[in-house]
Amino acid sequence: MAETGTQGGETLLFLTDEQLRKGIEAMFFAYRGFTADPDRILDQHGYGRAHHRAIHFINRQPGLTVTTLLAVLGVTKQSLNRVLRTLIEDGLVENRVGRRDKRERHLYLTPAGEALERELSGAQRERMRSAYRAAGPQAVAGFRQVLEAMIDPDMRRHYQMMKDGG
Amino acid sequence: MAETGTQGGETLLFLTDEQLRKGIEAMFFAYRGFTADPDRILDQHGYGRAHHRAIHFINRQPGLTVTTLLAVLGVTKQSLNRVLRTLIEDGLVENRVGRRDKRERHLYLTPAGEALERELSGAQRERMRSAYRAAGPQAVAGFRQVLEAMIDPDMRRHYQMMKDGG
DNA sequence: CTTGGAAAGTCAACAAGGCTGACATAAAAT
DNA sequence: ATTTTATGTCAGCCTTGTTGACTTTCCAAG
C-alpha cells in the first residue's frame, strides 16, 4: 500500500508508449534472428521461406489437405501451389488422393522431406533453445502468453489446432 | 530437495523440443498479427512494409544517415533507395546534407511523414497494448527477455542504440 | 595538393513470393 | 441433373529483395 499510481497493486508503467515501442522493436529484430538460420539452410537447397512454412506445417500435421494448409498459411492457392509443386517434383512432399473424399489431396513429407525438415527445425530450435535458456522458464511462460495474445483471433484456431497436436 | 529430475531447483521441461516448437509457431502467428494492422493502413496509402520500416526508424532517430539506416534495416542500398526515393518524392521524408560531413544525408520525417507514422504506430501499439494488458507486466518482462535473447548478436547493437534513445 | 576511400545515388537485370482474374476438371452434395 | 467444393493451372502484375557496374561528391591521409 506504499505504492502510488497503481491499480490492483500492479503498476501500469508497462503500458506506456515507450515500453510498447521497445516491444515493437524487439519483435522486429527478434523475428530476423528467428528466420536467419533456416534462411541460410534453405538458400543452400535452393528454397525460400515459403517452402519452409509449407514443410513445417505438413510435418506438424501429416495428411492435412491443401485447403487446410492454405488457411493456416494465409496465402492464395496460386501462391502455395507454386511452392508445393516444386516440393512434390523434388520428391520432398507427397500428394495422396483422399479416401473418403477423392477431391481432397492429403499432404505428407517423404523421407527426404523429413530430412530437410529436421535440418531446418533443428537450427531454429537451437536458437530458440539458447534464448529460452538465457531467459529462464518464467520468462518463457510470459513470452508465450504475450505472443498468443498478439495472434489475430481469426488465426488463433489454426494456432490451437497445431499447438494441441493433430 | 524433494524434486527429482531438476537442476538448481528449476525444471528443464521448458527446453523440450515440444515446448520449443510451440514457441516457434507462436512466433510465426504472432508476427502475422503484429504486421496485420499496419499492412492494411499502408495499403490504403499505396505503400508497403518496407516503407513502414524506414519511416519507423527515421522517426525513432531523426537525422540518422542513410548508412546507419542501411545497417539497421539490413538491406542493400539499392533496395532502400527505391523506398526512400518515393517517400522523399511524396514529401514524407526530408534529406538534409550533413553539416560536418557534407557527403552524409540526414533523414527526417516531414509533418506529413510524422502523421503517417503516428497512424501506423498507433495501430501497432494498440494491438501490442491489448496483448500486454491481457498478459500482465510479469509476462511482458519475460516476453522482452526472450525476444532480446533471440536477436542476432550482430544486430543487437542496433537494437540497443534504438532502445536507449539514440 | 594529390590521391584513395567513404557516402550516396543510379541503372539494369533478375528472383522470390505475394496478388488478381479466368478457367478446367473431378467429385461430392443437393 | 445441377450446383458447389477442392484442386490445379495459366497469365500477368507488384513489392521487395538481390548483384554488378558506375558516377559524383567530399573527407582525409600522404
Side-chain angles (χ1 to χ4, degrees):
Chain A
M1 290 301 177
E3 299 143 297
T4 46
T6 62
Q7 297 193 6
E10 284 183 352
T11 178
L12 290 178
L13 288 180
F14 74 112
L15 292 177
T16 61
D17 281 3
E18 181 59 17
Q19 288 300 309
L20 293 165
R21 187 189 57 71
K22 285 183 186 172
I24 287 167
E25 282 174 9
M27 200 63 189
F28 170 72
F29 286 111
Y31 197 77
R32 284 244 295 267
F34 175 69
T35 56
D37 303 325
D39 281 354
R40 271 189 289 275
I41 294 167
L42 288 158
D43 199 58
Q44 294 167 5
H45 292 258
Y47 295 123
R49 217 174 272 182
H51 300 86
H52 185 190
R53 292 196 279 261
I55 287 172
H56 174 95
F57 287 110
I58 295 172
N59 175 71
R60 183 68 197 91
Q61 200 167 65
L64 46 43
T65 64
V66 173
T67 302
T68 304
L69 185 53
L70 237 31
V72 170
L73 295 177
V75 297
T76 59
K77 72 178 167 182
Q78 294 92 328
S79 197
L80 174 59
N81 212 260
R82 194 162 34 197
V83 162
L84 224 40
R85 186 161 33 185
T86 72
L87 290 174
I88 291 169
E89 281 170 1
D90 295 355
L92 300 186
V93 167
E94 200 189 338
N95 206 344
R96 297 188 205 152
V97 173
R99 295 184 317 284
R100 290 196 327 221
D101 187 334
K102 290 179 195 164
R103 290 172 305 178
E104 294 180 342
R105 297 301 137 94
H106 298 268
L107 302 169
Y108 299 87
L109 293 186
T110 65
E114 286 174 351
L116 179 55
E117 195 284 330
R118 275 193 299 276
E119 196 181 349
L120 292 168
S121 66
Q124 198 159 37
R125 269 200 304 270
E126 238 354 276
R127 170 160 328 222
M128 207 72 171
R129 194 191 315 276
S130 148
Y132 272 26
R133 205 193 306 273
Q138 199 157 26
V140 168
F143 168 71
R144 283 268 300 279
Q145 278 176 53
V146 175
L147 285 188
E148 288 177 12
M150 282 177 61
I151 296 175
D152 213 281
D154 298 347
M155 273 296 131
R156 189 159 294 135
R157 59 199 183 88
H158 297 300
Y159 171 69
Q160 289 294 341
M161 192 203 312
M162 293 298 169
K163 177 179 162 191
D164 306 336
Chain B
M1 288 301 178
E3 299 142 299
T4 46
T6 63
Q7 297 192 5
E10 286 184 351
T11 178
L12 291 178
L13 288 181
F14 73 113
L15 294 177
T16 61
D17 282 4
E18 181 59 17
Q19 287 301 308
L20 293 166
R21 186 188 58 71
K22 285 182 187 172
I24 287 167
E25 282 173 9
M27 201 62 190
F28 170 73
F29 286 110
Y31 197 78
R32 283 243 297 268
F34 175 70
T35 55
D37 303 323
D39 281 354
R40 271 189 289 273
I41 295 166
L42 288 158
D43 199 58
Q44 293 167 4
H45 292 257
Y47 294 123
R49 217 175 271 183
H51 300 86
H52 185 190
R53 292 196 279 261
I55 287 172
H56 175 96
F57 287 110
I58 294 171
N59 175 70
R60 184 67 197 91
Q61 200 168 65
L64 46 41
T65 65
V66 173
T67 303
T68 304
L69 184 53
L70 238 29
V72 170
L73 295 177
V75 298
T76 60
K77 73 178 166 183
Q78 294 90 329
S79 196
L80 174 59
N81 211 260
R82 195 161 31 197
V83 163
L84 224 40
R85 186 162 31 186
T86 72
L87 290 175
I88 292 169
E89 281 170 1
D90 295 354
L92 301 186
V93 167
E94 199 188 341
N95 205 343
R96 298 187 204 153
V97 173
R99 294 184 317 283
R100 290 194 330 221
D101 187 334
K102 290 179 195 164
R103 290 171 304 179
E104 294 179 342
R105 299 299 138 95
H106 299 268
L107 303 169
Y108 299 87
L109 293 186
T110 65
E114 286 175 350
L116 179 55
E117 196 283 330
R118 274 193 300 275
E119 195 181 350
L120 292 167
S121 67
Q124 199 159 37
R125 268 200 305 271
E126 236 359 273
R127 174 167 316 230
M128 207 73 170
R129 194 190 316 274
S130 148
Y132 272 26
R133 207 191 305 271
Q138 199 156 27
V140 168
F143 168 72
R144 284 268 300 278
Q145 277 176 54
V146 175
L147 285 188
E148 288 178 11
M150 284 178 59
I151 297 175
D152 214 280
D154 299 349
M155 273 297 131
R156 190 159 295 134
R157 58 197 184 87
H158 297 300
Y159 171 69
Q160 289 293 342
M161 189 203 313
M162 293 298 169
K163 178 181 160 189
D164 306 336

